[in-house]
């Protein structure tokens, strides 16, 4: 079968109240786009009528495809399953609750045609979300920006368009704890934004309760940053300096005879031992950080283009199973 020009990936978790409206809005959009397309719904172990509803829709529309998980594996896993199976030249990830308006996809496609590989939706305003959610989200993205070694745009979610070569590069990232939006930044290529106002959820409740959101935030930081592991080194060096000052002071007080016997010895021993331990913990942290980077088995680099070189005769192992390399796909775009 020919590959479609556009794939939409839509993770669905207990969204029965949204599916009919989503279907209607999608069909409006896809009629307008005038390209070949597919929609890959990923049912993330819904317990409501979502899977039946998706199956009914897909029975009537063969370009609707459904992947059903055996249980709830989480939003990021659902997106990943979509990335693994979407075949379009351009692939868009969007939520099922219509918070990512299908109409914005038109603008994304426009930017993609103008040569962008990634077009992310940037929220200029968010409607219908609590002040708590908005302010924690804002603080979180600013913290991430400070901690992560890669540039990630502020106020963006997973709503974005990716070209096929970005998708193929994403498939090579097989880490367990997945923070997809930063992984897309890591992959590189030309990335641009479209601004949009994020509307309220069409129906139903958020599927990200506080507990899941915390987990997600921790994943975001720890899957890209080893800064927390380095904290011990810095604290160790700081307490080392303090230990020297404390020791000098304790020694001086002892010699001046202002202390009870043994006090200075204990002070000096405690101060030195504490800083030595922190520094050692920091050194362990450095090695653990390196082990962590290694076990992720990320590709060492991502090639965008080559010139005057034959096509790579062997793709990196993780890309091989797609039967396509990022370079090869470029010609098809
Ligand atoms: N979702 C999912 N699995 C989950 C939680 C959410 O597939 O475990 C889907 C959900 O159906 C929706 C998208 O991910 O399509 C975003 O979730 P939600 O709208 O609840 O997040 P929010 O917009 O409140 O951050
Ligand atoms: Mg939502």
């Amino acid at each position: 079968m020919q590959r479609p020009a556009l794939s939409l990936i839509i993770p669905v978790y207990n969204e029965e109240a949204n599916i009919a409206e989503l279907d209607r809005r999608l069909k409006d959009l896809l009629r307008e786009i005038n390209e070949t397309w597919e929609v890959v719904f990923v049912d993330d172990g819904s317990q409501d009528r979502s899977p039946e509803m998706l199956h009914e829709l897909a029975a009537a529309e063969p370009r609707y495809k459904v992947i059903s998980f055996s249980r709830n594996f989480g939003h990021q896993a659902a997106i990943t399953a979509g990335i693994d199976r979407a075949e379009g030249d351009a692939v868009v990830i969007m939520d099922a609750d219509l918070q990512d308006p299908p109409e914005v996809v038109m603008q994304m496609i426009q930017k993609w045609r103008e040569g962008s590989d990634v077009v992310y939706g940037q929220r200029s305003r968010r409607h219908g979300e609590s002040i708590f959610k908005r302010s924690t989200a804002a603080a979180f993205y600013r913290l991430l920006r400070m901690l992560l070694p890669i540039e990630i745009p502020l106020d963006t979610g997973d709503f974005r368009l990716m070209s096929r070569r970005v998708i193929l590069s994403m498939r090579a990232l097989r880490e367990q704890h997945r923070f997809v939006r930063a992984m897309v930044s890591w992959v590189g290529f030309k990335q641009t934004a479209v601004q949009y106002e994020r509307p309220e959820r069409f129906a139903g409740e958020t599927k990200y309760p506080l507990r899941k959101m915390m987990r997600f935030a921790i994943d975001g930081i720890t899957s890209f940053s080893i800064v927390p592991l380095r904290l011990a080194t810095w604290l160790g060096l700081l307490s080392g300096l303090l230990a020297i000052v404390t020791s000098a002071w304790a020694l001086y007080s002892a010699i001046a005879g202002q202390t009870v016997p043994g006090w200075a010895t204990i002070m000096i021993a405690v101060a030195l031992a504490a800083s030595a331990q922190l520094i050692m913990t920091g050194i362990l942290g450095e090695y653990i950080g390196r082990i962590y980077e290694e076990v992720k088995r990320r590709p060492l680099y991502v090639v965008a283009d080559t010139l005057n070189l034959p096509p790579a005769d062997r793709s990196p192992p993780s890309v091989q199973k797609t039967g396509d390399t990022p370079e090869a796909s470029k010609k098809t775009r």
Side-chain angles (χ1 to χ4, degrees):
M1 205 187 79
Q2 267 244 293
R3 292 200 296 103
L6 175 71
S7 303
L8 299 178
I9 298 175
I10 307 186
V12 176
Y13 181 53
N14 295 341
E15 301 284 9
E16 61 183 4
N18 289 312
I19 289 176
E21 175 69 9
L22 177 67
D23 173 51
R24 204 178 61 70
R25 296 267 293 273
L26 283 178
K27 286 190 172 137
D28 284 349
L29 168 79
L30 293 164
R31 242 194 315 276
E32 217 176 305
I33 278 179
N34 196 24
E35 294 266 23
T36 52
W37 57 266
E38 64 175 358
V39 180
V40 182
F41 292 99
V42 186
D43 164 38
D44 185 11
S46 302
Q47 292 106 28
D48 65 355
R49 282 196 15 87
S50 306
E52 288 83 3
M53 294 173 80
L54 292 176
H55 285 177
E56 257 165 50
L57 291 175
E61 172 52 84
R63 291 170 290 184
Y64 274 8
K65 298 165 187 178
V66 183
I67 300 172
S68 298
F69 282 179
S70 56
R71 63 170 171 82
N72 181 240
F73 281 90
H75 180 209
Q76 302 290 301
I79 293 174
T80 304
I83 290 174
D84 288 343
R85 298 301 290 270
E87 290 299 323
D89 294 327
V91 175
V92 176
I93 301 174
M94 55 188 273
D95 288 356
D97 58 2
L98 295 161
Q99 281 197 293
D100 302 333
E103 296 71 27
V104 179
V105 174
M106 287 299 275
Q107 298 171 40
M108 293 183 165
I109 292 175
Q110 190 51 39
K111 294 243 171 169
W112 168 65
R113 287 193 180 126
E114 288 164 14
S116 295
D117 279 281
V118 174
V119 188
Y120 48 83
Q122 195 159 34
R123 301 151 184 170
S124 52
R125 283 180 62 189
R126 302 167 74 128
H127 295 278
E129 286 174 333
S130 64
I131 292 180
F132 175 75
K133 176 145 188 172
R134 282 208 306 257
S135 51
T136 48
F140 172 63
Y141 285 110
R142 277 149 191 88
L143 177 70
L144 268 188
R145 236 175 133 83
M146 272 164 38
L147 288 180
L148 304 202
I150 47 170
E151 186 75 18
I152 63 161
L154 287 176
D155 303 316
T156 59
D158 290 310
F159 182 31
R160 56 189 61 213
L161 176 148
M162 291 166 282
S163 69
R164 181 158 171 86
R165 57 181 181 165
V166 171
I167 290 291
L168 293 175
S169 312
M170 287 291 290
R171 286 184 190 165
L173 309 186
R174 300 316 303 179
E175 56 219 61
Q176 285 286 320
H177 291 267
R178 306 180 71 82
F179 190 62
V180 172
R181 57 198 69 170
M183 290 160 68
V184 176
S185 300
W186 183 89
V187 162
F189 296 102
K190 184 169 183 218
Q191 314 216 353
T192 44
V194 293
Q195 304 284 333
Y196 75 106
E197 290 198 12
R198 190 163 213 235
E200 218 168 316
R201 206 171 218 287
F202 180 72
E205 295 276 292
T206 175
K207 306 301 180 295
Y208 265 102
L210 189 61
R211 181 179 50 83
K212 263 194 195 170
M213 235 161 67
M214 294 284 290
R215 188 69 261 154
F216 185 59
I218 292 172
D219 270 354
I221 293 168
T222 54
S223 60
F224 275 86
S225 176
I226 55 169
V227 171
L229 281 173
R230 294 222 165 102
L231 274 182
T233 312
W234 294 113
L235 280 177
L237 290 175
L238 191 73
S239 75
L241 274 179
L242 281 176
I244 292 170
V245 176
T246 312
S247 303
W249 169 61
L251 214 57
Y252 167 80
S253 313
I255 291 167
Q258 299 161 349
T259 65
V260 287
W263 176 83
T265 324
I266 291 173
M267 278 303 281
I268 293 170
V270 167
L272 289 179
S275 69
Q277 276 175 1
L278 272 172
I279 289 172
M280 279 317 294
T281 311
I283 292 174
L284 287 181
E286 287 293 329
Y287 281 96
I288 291 172
R290 277 169 177 67
I291 295 169
Y292 181 56
E293 297 294 344
E294 291 290 344
V295 296
K296 277 195 270 190
R297 305 229 114 259
R298 287 213 191 137
L300 298 182
Y301 51 81
V302 177
V303 175
D305 291 299
T306 54
L307 199 59
N308 292 344
L309 266 178
D313 55 354
R314 205 170 55 80
S315 18
S318 35
V319 187
Q320 222 163 26
K321 57 178 175 301
T322 68
D324 210 346
T325 62
E327 295 90 316
S329 73
K330 194 172 178 236
K331 299 191 196 78
T332 60
R333 206 183 96 183

